[in-house]
Amino acid sequence: MLALLSEIDELYESVTLEPGSWDDAAFAEWVEARADGIAGLDREAVKIIHRAVRRSQRLQRYWLSRPKGPRDWRVRVDEALGSAGWRPGLDLAEWGMRTYPDPELFDELGRRFRATNFRPLGVTYQEWLAAED
């Protein structure tokens, strides 16, 4: 799950910094390159991944029309989509924690929660586990 979240971040980085390198075929190739990993996920997770791809397409179109912008790709995501840009990553991390709870994934969930909601998650890993039981 952490690898997939990282790959989504790398997709966002690439489409914001090099939007001219992306077209419909490149997005399809990105999804196809992850087909084996995606195939093992349930329908909810697959929908989240496709939502992340659609957001990356919006990012690509936004930055294609604006050749100059901030150097940091994260700031570019914020400028183009606001906190909604980070929602698919948060949703996927939440799905992962419900399915495969892990302390490292929980740390990633906390990071993504903060980026999306502008506040800390507010619970520890143990508290989160107890609440899910």
Side-chain angles (χ1 to χ4, degrees):
M1 188 56 49
L2 288 171
L4 186 54
L5 287 166
S6 179
E7 289 174 348
I8 290 171
D9 286 349
E10 290 167 7
L11 173 64
Y12 278 22
E13 180 178 13
S14 182
V15 300
T16 58
L17 297 178
E18 300 172 13
S21 300
W22 288 86
D23 59 16
D24 289 341
F27 286 110
E29 287 173 19
W30 187 91
V31 172
E32 187 168 323
R34 284 140 192 90
D36 289 341
I38 293 172
L41 302 175
D42 72 12
R43 185 175 172 183
E44 179 184 357
V46 172
K47 288 171 78 173
I48 294 168
I49 293 164
H50 286 285
R51 192 174 328 122
V53 172
R54 286 191 305 277
R55 299 270 166 94
S56 69
Q57 290 170 318
R58 288 177 56 198
L59 286 168
Q60 185 265 348
R61 287 189 301 270
Y62 182 92
W63 288 107
L64 194 59
S65 66
R66 291 165 182 79
K68 296 192 185 257
R71 291 183 185 176
D72 187 324
W73 68 272
R74 290 173 186 88
V75 176
R76 286 176 174 241
V77 171
D78 288 337
E79 181 177 323
L81 301 178
S83 64
W86 304 110
R87 176 53 78 177
L90 174 60
D91 291 345
L92 192 58
E94 288 174 336
W95 176 88
M97 282 298 297
R98 286 191 308 273
T99 310
Y100 312 105
D102 174 85
E104 288 181 67
L105 182 55
F106 181 79
D107 291 343
E108 188 64 21
L109 171 70
R111 188 178 72 76
R112 291 172 185 278
F113 185 90
R114 181 183 290 275
T116 305
N117 297 293
F118 308 108
R119 61 184 173 84
L121 186 56
V123 295
T124 66
Y125 178 64
Q126 289 75 21
E127 291 169 336
W128 191 92
L129 286 176
E132 290 296 308
D133 285 342

